[in-house]
PDB file of all heavy atoms in Angstrom:
ATOM      1  N   VAL A  11      94.579 179.855  98.713  1.00 98.00           N
ATOM      2  CA  VAL A  11      93.324 180.175  98.036  1.00 98.00           C
ATOM      3  C   VAL A  11      92.608 181.182  98.926  1.00 98.00           C
ATOM      4  O   VAL A  11      92.428 180.936 100.120  1.00 98.00           O
ATOM      5  CB  VAL A  11      92.465 178.909  97.835  1.00 98.00           C
ATOM      6  CG1 VAL A  11      91.160 179.251  97.117  1.00 98.00           C
ATOM      7  CG2 VAL A  11      93.248 177.850  97.053  1.00 98.00           C
ATOM      8  N   LEU A  16      86.220 184.708 105.269  1.00 97.00           N
ATOM      9  CA  LEU A  16      86.812 184.062 106.451  1.00 97.00           C
ATOM     10  C   LEU A  16      87.764 184.972 107.230  1.00 97.00           C
ATOM     11  O   LEU A  16      88.291 184.586 108.266  1.00 97.00           O
ATOM     12  CB  LEU A  16      87.586 182.808 106.024  1.00 97.00           C
ATOM     13  CG  LEU A  16      86.780 181.658 105.420  1.00 97.00           C
ATOM     14  CD1 LEU A  16      87.713 180.534 105.001  1.00 97.00           C
ATOM     15  CD2 LEU A  16      85.767 181.131 106.423  1.00 97.00           C
ATOM     16  N   ARG A  41      89.841 183.611  94.810  1.00 98.00           N
ATOM     17  CA  ARG A  41      88.586 182.888  94.695  1.00 98.00           C
ATOM     18  C   ARG A  41      87.484 183.763  95.277  1.00 98.00           C
ATOM     19  O   ARG A  41      87.500 184.096  96.468  1.00 98.00           O
ATOM     20  CB  ARG A  41      88.691 181.563  95.458  1.00 98.00           C
ATOM     21  CG  ARG A  41      87.495 180.646  95.339  1.00 98.00           C
ATOM     22  CD  ARG A  41      87.841 179.279  95.950  1.00 98.00           C
ATOM     23  NE  ARG A  41      86.723 178.354  95.891  1.00 98.00           N
ATOM     24  CZ  ARG A  41      85.814 178.239  96.855  1.00 98.00           C
ATOM     25  NH1 ARG A  41      85.887 178.992  97.937  1.00 98.00           N
ATOM     26  NH2 ARG A  41      84.823 177.370  96.724  1.00 98.00           N
ATOM     27  N   SER A 110      90.049 171.091  89.557  1.00 98.00           N
ATOM     28  CA  SER A 110      89.751 170.339  90.777  1.00 98.00           C
ATOM     29  C   SER A 110      89.310 168.936  90.415  1.00 98.00           C
ATOM     30  O   SER A 110      88.445 168.766  89.548  1.00 98.00           O
ATOM     31  CB  SER A 110      88.605 170.991  91.553  1.00 98.00           C
ATOM     32  OG  SER A 110      88.913 172.324  91.855  1.00 98.00           O
ATOM     33  N   GLY A 129      94.029 169.961  91.419  1.00 98.00           N
ATOM     34  CA  GLY A 129      93.761 170.152  92.841  1.00 98.00           C
ATOM     35  C   GLY A 129      92.995 168.918  93.302  1.00 98.00           C
ATOM     36  O   GLY A 129      91.898 168.659  92.814  1.00 98.00           O
ATOM     37  N   LEU A 130      93.576 168.134  94.199  1.00 96.00           N
ATOM     38  CA  LEU A 130      92.964 166.874  94.609  1.00 96.00           C
ATOM     39  C   LEU A 130      92.267 167.058  95.946  1.00 96.00           C
ATOM     40  O   LEU A 130      92.887 167.481  96.931  1.00 96.00           O
ATOM     41  CB  LEU A 130      94.026 165.778  94.709  1.00 96.00           C
ATOM     42  CG  LEU A 130      94.911 165.579  93.463  1.00 96.00           C
ATOM     43  CD1 LEU A 130      95.996 164.539  93.727  1.00 96.00           C
ATOM     44  CD2 LEU A 130      94.051 165.165  92.272  1.00 96.00           C
ATOM     45  N   GLY A 131      90.984 166.721  95.985  1.00 93.00           N
ATOM     46  CA  GLY A 131      90.291 166.907  97.264  1.00 93.00           C
ATOM     47  C   GLY A 131      88.809 166.623  97.151  1.00 93.00           C
ATOM     48  O   GLY A 131      88.367 166.128  96.128  1.00 93.00           O
ATOM     49  N   ALA A 132      88.105 166.940  98.165  1.00 94.00           N
ATOM     50  CA  ALA A 132      88.634 167.439  99.424  1.00 94.00           C
ATOM     51  C   ALA A 132      89.237 166.287 100.226  1.00 94.00           C
ATOM     52  O   ALA A 132      88.607 165.239 100.333  1.00 94.00           O
ATOM     53  CB  ALA A 132      87.528 168.095 100.236  1.00 94.00           C
ATOM     54  N   SER A 135      87.038 166.877 105.600  1.00 87.00           N
ATOM     55  CA  SER A 135      85.880 167.764 105.574  1.00 87.00           C
ATOM     56  C   SER A 135      86.347 169.188 105.877  1.00 87.00           C
ATOM     57  O   SER A 135      87.374 169.397 106.510  1.00 87.00           O
ATOM     58  CB  SER A 135      84.843 167.308 106.596  1.00 87.00           C
ATOM     59  OG  SER A 135      85.391 167.426 107.872  1.00 87.00           O
ATOM     60  N   THR A 136      85.590 170.137 105.385  1.00 91.00           N
ATOM     61  CA  THR A 136      85.981 171.537 105.540  1.00 91.00           C
ATOM     62  C   THR A 136      84.739 172.402 105.707  1.00 91.00           C
ATOM     63  O   THR A 136      83.673 172.074 105.181  1.00 91.00           O
ATOM     64  CB  THR A 136      86.792 172.012 104.311  1.00 91.00           C
ATOM     65  OG1 THR A 136      86.975 173.419 104.400  1.00 91.00           O
ATOM     66  CG2 THR A 136      86.098 171.681 103.003  1.00 91.00           C
ATOM     67  N   GLN A 137      84.896 173.479 106.454  1.00 92.00           N
ATOM     68  CA  GLN A 137      83.788 174.423 106.622  1.00 92.00           C
ATOM     69  C   GLN A 137      83.802 175.449 105.490  1.00 92.00           C
ATOM     70  O   GLN A 137      82.862 176.203 105.315  1.00 92.00           O
ATOM     71  CB  GLN A 137      83.951 175.195 107.945  1.00 92.00           C
ATOM     72  CG  GLN A 137      84.019 174.334 109.189  1.00 92.00           C
ATOM     73  CD  GLN A 137      82.678 173.707 109.496  1.00 92.00           C
ATOM     74  OE1 GLN A 137      81.649 174.374 109.445  1.00 92.00           O
ATOM     75  NE2 GLN A 137      82.671 172.418 109.795  1.00 92.00           N
ATOM     76  N   THR A 138      84.888 175.478 104.725  1.00 94.00           N
ATOM     77  CA  THR A 138      85.096 176.567 103.784  1.00 94.00           C
ATOM     78  C   THR A 138      84.267 176.426 102.512  1.00 94.00           C
ATOM     79  O   THR A 138      83.885 177.411 101.906  1.00 94.00           O
ATOM     80  CB  THR A 138      86.602 176.670 103.441  1.00 94.00           C
ATOM     81  OG1 THR A 138      87.319 176.795 104.669  1.00 94.00           O
ATOM     82  CG2 THR A 138      86.911 177.831 102.533  1.00 94.00           C
ATOM     83  N   LYS A 139      84.009 175.185 102.105  1.00 94.00           N
ATOM     84  CA  LYS A 139      83.270 174.982 100.857  1.00 94.00           C
ATOM     85  C   LYS A 139      82.267 173.862 101.075  1.00 94.00           C
ATOM     86  O   LYS A 139      82.573 172.877 101.738  1.00 94.00           O
ATOM     87  CB  LYS A 139      84.271 174.585  99.767  1.00 94.00           C
ATOM     88  CG  LYS A 139      83.655 174.288  98.417  1.00 94.00           C
ATOM     89  CD  LYS A 139      84.744 173.877  97.425  1.00 94.00           C
ATOM     90  CE  LYS A 139      84.149 173.411  96.119  1.00 94.00           C
ATOM     91  NZ  LYS A 139      85.210 173.070  95.143  1.00 94.00           N
ATOM     92  N   LEU A 141      80.776 170.682 100.211  1.00 89.00           N
ATOM     93  CA  LEU A 141      81.289 169.590  99.380  1.00 89.00           C
ATOM     94  C   LEU A 141      80.143 168.811  98.751  1.00 89.00           C
ATOM     95  O   LEU A 141      79.114 168.578  99.384  1.00 89.00           O
ATOM     96  CB  LEU A 141      82.154 168.649 100.221  1.00 89.00           C
ATOM     97  CG  LEU A 141      83.371 169.287 100.897  1.00 89.00           C
ATOM     98  CD1 LEU A 141      84.136 168.249 101.697  1.00 89.00           C
ATOM     99  CD2 LEU A 141      84.291 169.964  99.888  1.00 89.00           C
ATOM    100  N   ILE A 168      93.877 169.610  98.604  1.00 97.00           N
ATOM    101  CA  ILE A 168      93.099 170.692  99.217  1.00 97.00           C
ATOM    102  C   ILE A 168      91.977 170.108 100.073  1.00 97.00           C
ATOM    103  O   ILE A 168      91.514 168.996  99.826  1.00 97.00           O
ATOM    104  CB  ILE A 168      92.512 171.640  98.138  1.00 97.00           C
ATOM    105  CG1 ILE A 168      91.838 172.859  98.784  1.00 97.00           C
ATOM    106  CG2 ILE A 168      91.523 170.899  97.227  1.00 97.00           C
ATOM    107  CD1 ILE A 168      91.594 174.020  97.840  1.00 97.00           C
ATOM    108  N   GLY A 169      91.548 170.897 101.047  1.00 96.00           N
ATOM    109  CA  GLY A 169      90.393 170.520 101.850  1.00 96.00           C
ATOM    110  C   GLY A 169      90.746 170.127 103.269  1.00 96.00           C
ATOM    111  O   GLY A 169      91.239 169.032 103.507  1.00 96.00           O
ATOM    112  N   GLY A 170      90.540 171.035 104.200  1.00 94.00           N
ATOM    113  CA  GLY A 170      90.732 170.715 105.619  1.00 94.00           C
ATOM    114  C   GLY A 170      92.184 170.584 106.028  1.00 94.00           C
ATOM    115  O   GLY A 170      92.488 170.036 107.085  1.00 94.00           O
ATOM    116  N   ILE A 171      93.104 171.094 105.209  1.00 95.00           N
ATOM    117  CA  ILE A 171      94.529 170.952 105.524  1.00 95.00           C
ATOM    118  C   ILE A 171      94.971 172.042 106.499  1.00 95.00           C
ATOM    119  O   ILE A 171      94.706 173.227 106.289  1.00 95.00           O
ATOM    120  CB  ILE A 171      95.376 170.989 104.236  1.00 95.00           C
ATOM    121  CG1 ILE A 171      94.960 169.818 103.329  1.00 95.00           C
ATOM    122  CG2 ILE A 171      96.868 170.916 104.562  1.00 95.00           C
ATOM    123  CD1 ILE A 171      95.557 169.866 101.934  1.00 95.00           C
ATOM    124  N   LYS A 172      95.595 171.597 107.592  1.00 93.00           N
ATOM    125  CA  LYS A 172      96.040 172.510 108.660  1.00 93.00           C
ATOM    126  C   LYS A 172      97.458 172.116 109.055  1.00 93.00           C
ATOM    127  O   LYS A 172      97.873 170.998 108.754  1.00 93.00           O
ATOM    128  CB  LYS A 172      95.171 172.330 109.930  1.00 93.00           C
ATOM    129  CG  LYS A 172      93.698 172.170 109.675  1.00 93.00           C
ATOM    130  CD  LYS A 172      92.960 173.437 110.031  1.00 93.00           C
ATOM    131  CE  LYS A 172      91.516 173.356 109.604  1.00 93.00           C
ATOM    132  NZ  LYS A 172      91.047 174.532 108.914  1.00 93.00           N
ATOM    133  N   ALA A 195      97.149 173.159  99.063  1.00 98.00           N
ATOM    134  CA  ALA A 195      96.340 174.361  98.936  1.00 98.00           C
ATOM    135  C   ALA A 195      95.538 174.557 100.216  1.00 98.00           C
ATOM    136  O   ALA A 195      94.927 173.609 100.723  1.00 98.00           O
ATOM    137  CB  ALA A 195      95.409 174.235  97.729  1.00 98.00           C
ATOM    138  N   VAL A 196      95.582 175.759 100.722  1.00 98.00           N
ATOM    139  CA  VAL A 196      94.995 176.024 102.032  1.00 98.00           C
ATOM    140  C   VAL A 196      94.182 177.315 101.977  1.00 98.00           C
ATOM    141  O   VAL A 196      94.611 178.295 101.365  1.00 98.00           O
ATOM    142  CB  VAL A 196      96.123 176.176 103.075  1.00 98.00           C
ATOM    143  CG1 VAL A 196      95.590 176.706 104.376  1.00 98.00           C
ATOM    144  CG2 VAL A 196      96.834 174.850 103.284  1.00 98.00           C
ATOM    145  N   VAL A 197      93.011 177.272 102.603  1.00 98.00           N
ATOM    146  CA  VAL A 197      92.236 178.504 102.749  1.00 98.00           C
ATOM    147  C   VAL A 197      92.244 178.929 104.221  1.00 98.00           C
ATOM    148  O   VAL A 197      93.010 179.808 104.623  1.00 98.00           O
ATOM    149  CB  VAL A 197      90.782 178.349 102.245  1.00 98.00           C
ATOM    150  CG1 VAL A 197      90.078 179.715 102.256  1.00 98.00           C
ATOM    151  CG2 VAL A 197      90.732 177.735 100.849  1.00 98.00           C
ATOM    152  N   SER A 198      91.395 178.267 105.021  1.00 98.00           N
ATOM    153  CA  SER A 198      91.121 178.808 106.355  1.00 98.00           C
ATOM    154  C   SER A 198      92.316 178.814 107.296  1.00 98.00           C
ATOM    155  O   SER A 198      92.440 179.713 108.125  1.00 98.00           O
ATOM    156  CB  SER A 198      89.946 178.065 106.999  1.00 98.00           C
ATOM    157  OG  SER A 198      90.192 176.683 107.031  1.00 98.00           O
ATOM    158  N   ASP A 199      93.205 177.823 107.190  1.00 97.00           N
ATOM    159  CA  ASP A 199      94.312 177.781 108.157  1.00 97.00           C
ATOM    160  C   ASP A 199      95.181 179.035 108.053  1.00 97.00           C
ATOM    161  O   ASP A 199      95.813 179.425 109.025  1.00 97.00           O
ATOM    162  CB  ASP A 199      95.165 176.509 107.978  1.00 97.00           C
ATOM    163  CG  ASP A 199      95.959 176.164 109.247  1.00 97.00           C
ATOM    164  OD1 ASP A 199      95.368 176.250 110.345  1.00 97.00           O
ATOM    165  OD2 ASP A 199      97.155 175.842 109.146  1.00 97.00           O
TER     166      ASP A 199
HETATM  167  N1  3NM B   1      88.063 173.376  97.054  1.00 78.74           N
HETATM  168  P1  3NM B   1      90.154 174.869 103.794  1.00 78.74           P
HETATM  169  S1  3NM B   1      87.922 172.095  99.226  1.00 78.74           S
HETATM  170  C1  3NM B   1      88.231 175.744  97.731  1.00 78.74           C
HETATM  171  O1  3NM B   1      87.646 169.873  97.243  1.00 78.74           O
HETATM  172  C2  3NM B   1      88.143 174.315  98.039  1.00 78.74           C
HETATM  173  O2  3NM B   1      87.937 171.106  95.506  1.00 78.74           O
HETATM  174  C3  3NM B   1      87.953 172.154  97.536  1.00 78.74           C
HETATM  175  O3  3NM B   1      89.414 175.159 102.424  1.00 78.74           O
HETATM  176  C4  3NM B   1      87.823 170.960  96.712  1.00 78.74           C
HETATM  177  O4  3NM B   1      91.620 174.887 103.515  1.00 78.74           O
HETATM  178  C5  3NM B   1      88.073 173.790  99.311  1.00 78.74           C
HETATM  179  O5  3NM B   1      89.747 176.032 104.661  1.00 78.74           O
HETATM  180  C6  3NM B   1      88.137 174.537 100.570  1.00 78.74           C
HETATM  181  O6  3NM B   1      89.642 173.584 104.325  1.00 78.74           O
HETATM  182  C7  3NM B   1      89.401 174.293 101.353  1.00 78.74           C
END
Side-chain angles (χ1 to χ4, degrees):
V11 180
L16 295 177
R41 185 171 179 270
S110 303
L130 307 176
S135 64
T136 171
Q137 302 290 315
T138 305
K139 178 181 173 178
L141 301 180
I168 187 163
I171 299 171
K172 318 255 172 227
V196 169
V197 187
S198 55
D199 202 43

